[in-house]
Amino acid sequence: MHRIVLLGPPGAGKGTQAKRLATELGIAHLSTGDMLRAAAAQGTSLGREADGYMRRGLLVPDALVLSILRERLASPDAQRGFVLDGYPRTVAQAHSLAEITPVEHVLYFEIPESVLVERLSQRRSCPVDGSVYNLVTQPPRVPGRCDRDGTPLIQRPDDTEEAVRTRLAVYREVTVPLLDLYRTQGLLRTVAAGGSVEEVAARVREALR
Ligand code: ADP
Ligand code: AMP
């Protein structure tokens, strides 16, 4: 069974690769960012609480994220395996995850910060189905519209310059220490995340062999 974690800074391409990989392997794509955004859009109390943290680029408190992830991991489509995108982000979260399920592969998406800032400033997404575009590298077929359902694309409120700065600082401070944890456990593989979506996808496949 494939139980895969994608680690890396915001904008590294985790979501883009996770969607492809999940389709290719017939496993679930579990993005805690997507789950939290969906909860915020539905206006649930968890979603409203999470939204304030997300907009500022801060991490949502562990207990909230864990409750939403736990539920999703228990759902039928996750029983054949999963690619986890955006969780864990702290050492404490890695310990929580280990109590719920083992993982076989941790892929670390390595990429220079200058590329991240460029990618995030050009990212647009569909508020209905969550599909992700890039004005420069992955433009939609019709400008400003989702390829799948024609919905007007939006810029995520946390892709502003200020929120991106905060997210990168949070990543360096609390997520980078996770690399050592998984390296020590012998699970970490590094994937060079620059280059085209196809090139990165090929490296991901190679890292999973
Ligand atoms: P993450 O989930 O790690 O935050 P995304 O998958 O949302 O990153 O990608 C961030 C932005 O970069 C999006 O606009 C996406 O379309 C674009 N992108 C993703 N992978 C690549 C790539 N290999 N080359 C160029 N642009 C990419
Ligand atoms: P992402 O879609 O992965 O870029 O996540 C967007 C935002 O959701 C993050 O900046 C956090 O505010 C929140 N978030 C997603 N995953 C987690 C997590 N594992 N722990 C805490 N906050 C998270």
Side-chain angles (χ1 to χ4, degrees):
M1 176 150 62
H2 290 283
R3 286 174 290 210
I4 302 163
V5 166
L6 302 188
L7 271 185
K14 302 181 299 295
T16 301
Q17 297 297 333
K19 285 194 185 78
R20 290 176 63 119
L21 198 56
T23 306
E24 249 172 59
L25 298 175
I27 58 180
H29 171 210
L30 307 183
S31 156
T32 45
D34 285 352
M35 293 173 210
L36 293 167
R37 278 185 290 276
Q42 284 162 16
T44 66
S45 65
L46 185 153
R48 272 177 293 153
E49 191 176 347
D51 193 52
Y53 294 95
M54 294 172 81
R55 280 176 188 279
R56 284 177 288 159
L58 298 171
L59 291 189
V60 172
D62 281 355
L64 292 186
V65 186
L66 188 59
S67 69
I68 212 166
L69 176 68
R70 209 187 268 284
E71 193 180 309
R72 199 60 187 78
L73 269 172
S75 66
D77 73 310
Q79 305 316 304
R80 278 177 302 150
F82 55 78
V83 47
L84 197 43
D85 155 21
Y87 194 98
R89 264 173 152 99
T90 67
V91 170
Q93 290 183 1
H95 293 313
S96 299
L97 180 65
E99 284 173 18
I100 310 176
T101 177
V103 299
E104 283 80 36
H105 302 279
V106 178
L107 304 187
Y108 163 47
F109 281 37
E110 188 175 49
I111 188 151
E113 216 162 89
S114 55
V115 180
L116 300 176
V117 172
E118 170 66 19
R119 281 188 186 176
L120 291 174
S121 68
Q122 306 296 332
R123 174 161 66 184
R124 297 293 183 273
S125 52
C126 173
V128 173
D129 73 3
S131 50
V132 173
Y133 301 87
N134 189 285
L135 297 184
V136 175
T137 61
Q138 311 259 244
R141 283 195 293 270
V142 177
R145 300 264 172 184
C146 179
D147 287 352
R148 293 193 201 129
D149 57 17
T151 305
L153 300 178
I154 58 155
Q155 181 165 29
R156 271 170 50 172
D158 60 348
D159 279 345
T160 58
E161 203 183 317
E162 196 185 347
V164 166
R165 228 179 298 127
T166 304
R167 288 158 65 206
L168 289 174
V170 167
Y171 171 77
R172 283 192 292 265
E173 227 169 274
V174 302
T175 307
V176 165
L178 266 182
L179 301 179
D180 264 345
L181 177 79
Y182 283 125
R183 199 175 281 123
T184 310
Q185 294 177 8
L187 296 174
L188 196 77
R189 298 268 164 79
T190 299
V191 171
S196 71
V197 171
E198 291 300 333
E199 284 166 335
V200 179
R203 293 186 204 123
V204 165
R205 276 192 294 270
E206 187 59 31
L208 291 174
R209 269 145 59 107

